[in-house]
Amino acid sequence: MIRARARSLWLLAFVACALAVGWSRPARAYPWMIRHDYGGCATCHVDPSGAGVLTEYGRAQSAILLSSRYGAPADEDPGQTPDFLFGVVPASDVLLLQGWFRNGYIWNESGGQLVDQRLLQMVADLGADVVWKQFRAGARLGYNGFNTAVDSELAWVTPASPAGSLVSREHWAGVSLADDSILLRGGRMNVPFGLRNIEHPSWVRSETRTDINQDQQDGVAVAYSNDWLRGELLGIAGNYQINPDVYRERGYAAFAEFAVAPRLAAGVSSLITHAAADVLTHKETTRQAHGLFVRAAPWKELVFLGEFDALVTRAGAPAEAGYVAFAQADIEPIQGLHAMVTGETLNRGSAGGATSFGEWLGAAWFAVPHVDLRFDAIRRTQSGTPATLTYLLQLQVYL
């Protein structure tokens, strides 16, 4: 795997959602917020495509809508509790600060044998976004321990060492236009594609290389959002935190999502990149991913998320065509307490072997503002190989 160095800093989309109707990591993005009639992201996040630093309004809504209320009235003012450092630092409309801290414990079994069991230091990041008139900017700097280096390598700004590495997942600057409906920016940003779900090892994220843990890319992006449409196009210039230049992918990634109803949204995604040497295979590679995704809340307590992507990879001749799909039911019987049932499937084409299947059972509890717990049990199978089982317990605190 290439060493990173400093230079810049969502089964077949629920079968296309019945033909129409984790691991959790750093920046918090919840596609199931559509249950609260939040189809878009720009109201609560500086990044109009979701994830990253919350606005002051977003912080208040996280306390009112996400966390367990313990009998408190739904409209009770949360006061300064949602603010940065629980209100120790006065809220500012110009400088928005946020911290993310996540640790976990993992058990991995293969063929009934324990192969991995350890504590994980996952995320320790601080972020700051600036909102001043039409100017916008954002940056994150953090630390990843040595035992989770593989999950952050593409975001390193210092080389691997037994003491861990500094990481920068995002750093960008831009300008807001047309009454904040357009954001034009440049820098290192999340790749706009599909569901911005937090289960970053899910195949829809890992196979398309669009997770929000380390797959950000440098480039120039334009995002648009209004009451019924949101989308973003990123011209990818490469990841300038890896060297040499032959490993940098260049191309584009884009998505557009339409609000069909207050609690139903459907979207399309497209991505094409080319690298002289793929970061994993070291071969000249062109990657394509094109797909559909959907978010639907037939009841406030139940949200369906689905994504299906066609994959085309050319590393020589002929090109390999495959697919990847993700479907999840998120159930919230009591505010703050979630149960998740997820299915996924992956086929990389003839060169990638048989089709793989994954089943996830998860639970999350947003116990109090700023604190959540999550447990996932994940089983993955492929014909001819032993089933793998992963159990992951996580605690996250955000400031």
Side-chain angles (χ1 to χ4, degrees), residues 224-312:
Y224 177 80
S225 61
N226 62 22
D227 291 339
W228 61 274
L229 171 66
R230 68 186 187 98
E232 186 171 5
L233 169 65
L234 170 63
I236 299 173
N239 180 358
Y240 279 80
Q241 289 170 217
I242 61 173
N243 284 305
D245 186 71
V246 292
Y247 291 111
R248 295 177 185 146
E249 294 185 300
R250 295 185 169 95
Y252 78 88
F255 82 92
E257 185 186 58
F258 304 86
V260 181
R263 294 182 181 174
L264 173 62
V268 295
S269 303
S270 181
L271 176 153
I272 301 178
T273 65
H274 176 83
D278 184 79
V279 71
L280 299 177
T281 67
H282 299 184
K283 297 179 180 180
E284 184 176 359
T285 302
T286 298
R287 294 192 305 114
Q288 297 188 48
H290 310 284
L292 307 170
F293 61 95
V294 64
R295 301 184 296 145
W299 302 279
K300 184 176 181 180
E301 295 80 10
L302 175 64
V303 175
F304 293 116
L305 306 174
E307 180 174 339
F308 173 84
D309 300 312
L311 308 174
V312 180

Side-chain angles (χ1 to χ4, degrees), residues 57-80:
Y57 178 83
R59 282 181 168 271
Q61 294 309 300
S62 73
I64 294 170
L65 299 177
L66 266 63
S67 301
S68 294
R69 300 291 288 173
Y70 306 105
D75 58 351
E76 183 177 88
D77 188 340
Q80 292 182 307

